[in-house]
Amino acid sequence: MIRAMKDSDGPKVLEIYAFGLKTRNATFETLVPTWEKWNAKHLLHSRFVYEQNGEAIGWVALSPVSTREVYKGVAEVSIYVDEKYLGCGIGTKLMRRVIESSEAKGIWTLYTSLFPENEASVKLHKKFGFREVGIREKIARLDNIWRNTLILERRSKVVGV
């Protein structure tokens, strides 16, 4: 079941995020933030958890890409699934839901920056019409290793057309 994320989901959301950090293929971040910092970074709308047996096992949320008014319809997607449930279609269901919600809230472009090695996430985004718009070569170092990122975006077919 997909439902709106609540503050009480914070510990589980951060636990799932910690797994992403551990893989070293999900984010450049190396420390799990506090719930307060995580919460402040993400938009209040279009945040969902996938719940099974009363437990959040995946989540999706949007972050603004800029505070400038002209970019109010552009948001960055973050999507994470508990390691025990990878490959079960949870990411697909969460992505479908966040796209619907984002468009209802006037978001015209969804953006993401992914490590090319994160093939499952690249495939998921492309499945939903995200297109590759570029590669940032050696954009930053993680564990003292230069990493590239793929820039993908999805333009809404219903908002701002």
Side-chain angles (χ1 to χ4, degrees), residues 62-73:
L62 302 179
S63 303
V65 298
S66 175
T67 57
R68 295 172 65 189
E69 182 68 18
V70 296
Y71 294 114
K72 68 181 179 185

Side-chain angles (χ1 to χ4, degrees), residues 80-95:
Y80 287 79
V81 176
D82 185 303
E83 62 185 311
K84 296 183 292 281
Y85 299 94
L86 294 174
C88 295
I90 294 166
T92 294
K93 292 173 184 169
L94 286 167
M95 184 68 81

Side-chain angles (χ1 to χ4, degrees), residues 22-86:
K22 185 175 72 174
T23 69
R24 294 300 200 245
N25 272 331
T27 178
F28 278 112
E29 298 295 338
T30 57
L31 299 173
V32 178
T34 63
W35 177 247
E36 291 74 24
K37 285 183 180 179
W38 186 98
N39 198 34
K41 181 181 170 186
H42 293 85
L43 295 173
L44 294 177
H45 68 78
S46 304
R47 305 175 170 195
F48 302 98
V49 296
Y50 187 96
E51 185 179 87
Q52 184 171 293
N53 299 323
E55 180 180 26
I57 59 172
W59 61 267
V60 64
L62 302 179
S63 303
V65 298
S66 175
T67 57
R68 295 172 65 189
E69 182 68 18
V70 296
Y71 294 114
K72 68 181 179 185
V74 183
E76 182 174 4
V77 178
S78 294
I79 187 165
Y80 287 79
V81 176
D82 185 303
E83 62 185 311
K84 296 183 292 281
Y85 299 94
L86 294 174

